[in-house]
Protein backbone atom coordinates (compact mmCIF):
# COMPACT_ATOMS: atom_id res chain seq x y z
CA UNK A 1 0.00 0.00 0.00
CA UNK A 2 2.87 2.37 0.74
CA UNK A 3 4.34 1.90 -2.75
CA UNK A 4 0.96 2.68 -4.32
CA UNK A 5 1.14 6.21 -2.90
CA UNK A 6 4.88 6.68 -3.60
CA UNK A 7 5.77 6.27 0.06
CA UNK A 8 9.10 4.52 -0.28
CA UNK A 9 9.32 2.79 3.10
CA UNK A 10 11.10 -0.54 2.77
CA UNK A 11 9.90 -3.75 4.38
CA UNK A 12 13.05 -3.76 6.49
CA UNK A 13 12.30 -0.25 7.80
CA UNK A 14 8.78 -1.33 8.73
CA UNK A 15 10.06 -4.45 10.48
CA UNK A 16 12.57 -2.35 12.40
CA UNK A 17 9.79 0.05 13.40
CA UNK A 18 7.44 -2.70 14.49
CA UNK A 19 10.18 -4.57 16.37
CA UNK A 20 10.23 -1.65 18.84
CA UNK A 21 6.91 -2.87 20.29
CA UNK A 22 6.84 -6.51 19.13
CA UNK A 23 7.31 -7.86 22.65
CA UNK A 24 6.84 -11.53 21.78
CA UNK A 25 9.21 -11.20 18.77
CA UNK A 26 6.68 -12.94 16.54
CA UNK A 27 7.38 -10.65 13.58
CA UNK A 28 3.75 -9.56 13.65
CA UNK A 29 1.85 -7.13 15.84
CA UNK A 30 -1.26 -8.11 17.74
CA UNK A 31 -3.85 -5.40 18.36
CA UNK A 32 -2.34 -4.38 21.71
CA UNK A 33 1.17 -4.13 20.26
CA UNK A 34 -0.18 -2.11 17.35
CA UNK A 35 -1.91 0.32 19.73
CA UNK A 36 1.30 0.61 21.71
CA UNK A 37 3.19 1.25 18.47
CA UNK A 38 0.84 4.07 17.49
CA UNK A 39 1.42 5.73 20.87
CA UNK A 40 5.11 4.92 21.33
CA UNK A 41 7.34 7.99 21.35
CA UNK A 42 10.38 5.86 20.50
CA UNK A 43 8.59 4.33 17.48
CA UNK A 44 7.31 7.74 16.35
CA UNK A 45 10.80 9.27 16.72
CA UNK A 46 12.23 6.48 14.53
CA UNK A 47 9.32 6.93 12.08
CA UNK A 48 10.08 10.68 11.85
CA UNK A 49 13.72 9.88 11.03
CA UNK A 50 12.63 7.58 8.19
CA UNK A 51 10.18 10.19 6.86
CA UNK A 52 12.87 12.88 7.08
CA UNK A 53 15.17 10.75 4.93
CA UNK A 54 12.35 10.05 2.46
CA UNK A 55 11.54 13.75 2.16
CA UNK A 56 15.19 14.56 1.57
CA UNK A 57 15.41 11.91 -1.18
CA UNK A 58 12.22 13.21 -2.81
CA UNK A 59 13.24 16.83 -2.85
CA UNK A 60 16.91 16.52 -3.78
CA UNK A 61 17.29 13.20 -5.55
CA UNK A 62 13.97 12.09 -7.06
CA UNK A 63 11.41 14.93 -7.13
CA UNK A 64 9.44 13.06 -9.81
CA UNK A 65 8.58 10.37 -7.24
CA UNK A 66 7.14 12.81 -4.73
CA UNK A 67 4.54 11.22 -2.50
CA UNK A 68 1.12 12.79 -2.16
CA UNK A 69 1.52 13.15 1.57
CA UNK A 70 4.33 12.26 3.96
CA UNK A 71 3.35 13.02 7.54
CA UNK A 72 5.78 12.91 10.43
CA UNK A 73 3.28 10.98 12.56
CA UNK A 74 2.40 7.32 11.95
CA UNK A 75 -1.24 7.72 13.05
CA UNK A 76 -1.69 10.54 10.56
CA UNK A 77 -0.21 8.35 7.82
CA UNK A 78 -2.65 5.55 8.69
CA UNK A 79 -5.58 8.01 8.55
CA UNK A 80 -4.37 9.24 5.15
CA UNK A 81 -4.04 5.71 3.76
CA UNK A 82 -7.45 4.77 5.14
CA UNK A 83 -9.05 7.86 3.52
CA UNK A 84 -7.34 7.17 0.20
CA UNK A 85 -8.52 3.55 0.25
CA UNK A 86 -12.09 4.63 1.03
CA UNK A 87 -12.06 7.18 -1.83
CA UNK A 88 -10.60 4.64 -4.23
CA UNK A 89 -13.34 2.15 -3.34
CA UNK A 90 -16.02 4.80 -4.00
CA UNK A 91 -14.46 5.66 -7.38
CA UNK A 92 -14.34 1.97 -8.32
CA UNK A 93 -18.00 1.55 -7.40
CA UNK A 94 -18.99 4.63 -9.40
CA UNK A 95 -16.98 3.75 -12.51
CA UNK A 96 -17.54 -0.01 -12.50
CA UNK A 97 -17.86 -0.72 -16.22
CA UNK A 98 -18.53 -4.40 -15.65
CA UNK A 99 -22.02 -3.71 -14.35
CA UNK A 100 -24.67 -2.87 -16.91
CA UNK A 101 -26.21 0.58 -16.78
CA UNK A 102 -29.51 0.69 -14.98
CA UNK A 103 -31.44 3.88 -14.13
CA UNK A 104 -31.97 2.74 -10.53
CA UNK A 105 -28.15 2.78 -10.04
CA UNK A 106 -27.91 6.48 -10.90
CA UNK A 107 -29.16 7.57 -7.50
CA UNK A 108 -26.61 5.37 -5.70
CA UNK A 109 -23.78 6.63 -7.93
CA UNK A 110 -24.79 10.22 -7.26
CA UNK A 111 -24.72 9.53 -3.53
CA UNK A 112 -21.21 8.10 -3.93
CA UNK A 113 -20.14 11.21 -5.86
CA UNK A 114 -21.56 13.32 -3.07
CA UNK A 115 -19.51 11.34 -0.53
CA UNK A 116 -16.36 11.98 -2.58
CA UNK A 117 -17.09 15.71 -2.81
CA UNK A 118 -17.88 15.96 0.91
CA UNK A 119 -14.67 14.15 1.72
CA UNK A 120 -12.63 16.52 -0.45
CA UNK A 121 -14.37 19.56 1.05
CA UNK A 122 -13.88 18.37 4.64
CA UNK A 123 -10.20 17.62 4.00
CA UNK A 124 -9.61 21.09 2.57
CA UNK A 125 -11.42 22.73 5.50
CA UNK A 126 -9.75 20.85 8.34
CA UNK A 127 -6.01 20.64 7.99
CA UNK A 128 -4.24 18.51 10.59
CA UNK A 129 -1.25 19.82 12.50
CA UNK A 130 0.85 17.33 10.57
CA UNK A 131 -0.29 18.84 7.28
CA UNK A 132 0.53 22.32 8.54
CA UNK A 133 4.00 21.18 9.60
CA UNK A 134 4.42 19.40 6.27
CA UNK A 135 3.52 22.55 4.34
CA UNK A 136 5.89 24.65 6.45
CA UNK A 137 8.75 22.22 5.88
CA UNK A 138 8.05 21.99 2.15
CA UNK A 139 7.90 25.78 1.92
CA UNK A 140 11.19 26.14 3.81
CA UNK A 141 12.89 23.51 1.63
CA UNK A 142 11.57 25.12 -1.56
CA UNK A 143 12.80 28.53 -0.35
CA UNK A 144 16.24 27.07 0.41
CA UNK A 145 16.35 25.45 -3.03
CA UNK A 146 15.41 28.73 -4.74
CA UNK A 147 18.02 30.62 -2.70
CA UNK A 148 20.68 28.12 -3.75
CA UNK A 149 19.67 28.55 -7.40
CA UNK A 150 19.69 32.32 -7.04
CA UNK A 151 23.14 32.33 -5.44
CA UNK A 152 24.53 30.05 -8.14
CA UNK A 153 23.07 32.37 -10.83
CA UNK A 154 24.58 35.42 -9.11
CA UNK A 155 27.95 33.70 -8.87
CA UNK A 156 27.86 32.93 -12.60
CA UNK A 157 26.79 36.48 -13.46
CA UNK A 158 29.40 38.08 -11.24
CA UNK A 159 32.09 35.72 -12.51
CA UNK A 160 31.35 36.71 -16.12
CA UNK A 161 31.01 40.44 -15.33
CA UNK A 162 33.85 42.59 -16.66
CA UNK A 163 33.50 46.31 -15.88
CA UNK A 164 36.39 47.10 -18.27
CA UNK A 165 34.49 45.89 -21.34
CA UNK A 166 32.91 48.81 -23.31
CA UNK A 167 29.14 48.75 -23.58
CA UNK A 168 28.56 46.71 -20.45
Amino acid sequence: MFKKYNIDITSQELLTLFSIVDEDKSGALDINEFKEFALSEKANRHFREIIGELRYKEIYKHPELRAKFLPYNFSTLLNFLSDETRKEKLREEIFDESKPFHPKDVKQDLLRFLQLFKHAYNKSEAMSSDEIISRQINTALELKKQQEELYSQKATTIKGFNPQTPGS
Side-chain angles (χ1 to χ4, degrees):
M1 179 179 280
F2 291 111
K3 298 277 184 221
K4 184 176 188 175
Y5 297 104
N6 286 336
I7 301 171
D8 196 21
I9 295 177
T10 66
S11 299
Q12 186 58 45
E13 288 169 325
L14 284 174
L15 287 173
T16 302
L17 273 172
F18 291 148
S19 71
I20 293 170
V21 295
D22 184 14
E23 293 174 5
D24 59 5
K25 305 299 179 209
S26 65
L29 299 183
D30 63 31
I31 189 68
N32 290 327
E33 289 171 329
F34 186 79
K35 286 178 186 176
E36 184 182 337
F37 174 79
L39 300 173
S40 165
E41 183 52 40
K42 182 179 178 184
N44 267 297
R45 187 172 38 255
H46 190 67
F47 180 76
R48 284 190 295 273
E49 289 171 8
I50 291 171
I51 294 299
E53 290 171 15
L54 290 177
R55 287 181 179 203
Y56 177 82
K57 283 184 213 172
E58 282 185 348
I59 291 169
Y60 292 105
K61 296 185 178 178
H62 303 287
E64 72 281 0
L65 298 178
R66 186 166 224 162
K68 260 182 153 177
F69 180 62
L70 267 179
Y72 277 106
N73 181 290
F74 189 72
S75 311
T76 305
L77 179 62
L78 290 179
N79 286 335
F80 167 76
L81 293 173
S82 174
D83 286 347
E84 289 299 306
T85 303
R86 197 171 317 118
K87 289 188 305 188
E88 187 173 311
K89 184 174 186 248
L90 282 170
R91 284 191 292 270
E92 286 172 1
E93 289 171 356
I94 293 168
F95 299 110
D96 183 3
E97 293 181 11
S98 67
K99 68 178 183 182
F101 174 76
H102 195 279
K104 70 178 174 98
D105 295 335
V106 171
K107 182 178 179 183
Q108 189 62 36
D109 285 345
L110 287 173
L111 290 172
R112 289 181 181 124
F113 266 121
L114 185 59
Q115 285 178 308
L116 280 173
F117 289 133
K118 281 182 179 178
H119 181 79
Y121 178 77
N122 290 339
K123 282 304 241 184
S124 68
E125 288 295 307
M127 203 183 325
S128 75
S129 62
D130 219 52
E131 291 170 309
I132 292 169
I133 292 169
S134 175
R135 285 188 179 188
Q136 289 171 340
I137 290 170
N138 285 338
T139 302
L141 290 172
E142 185 61 32
L143 180 62
K144 182 179 178 183
K145 187 177 171 183
Q146 288 177 0
Q147 285 174 336
E148 288 170 356
E149 289 174 5
L150 181 64
Y151 289 137
S152 70
Q153 287 174 358
K154 280 185 178 179
T156 305
T157 305
I158 292 171
K159 196 182 220 181
F161 179 71
N162 184 352
Q164 309 289 344
T165 307
S168 40

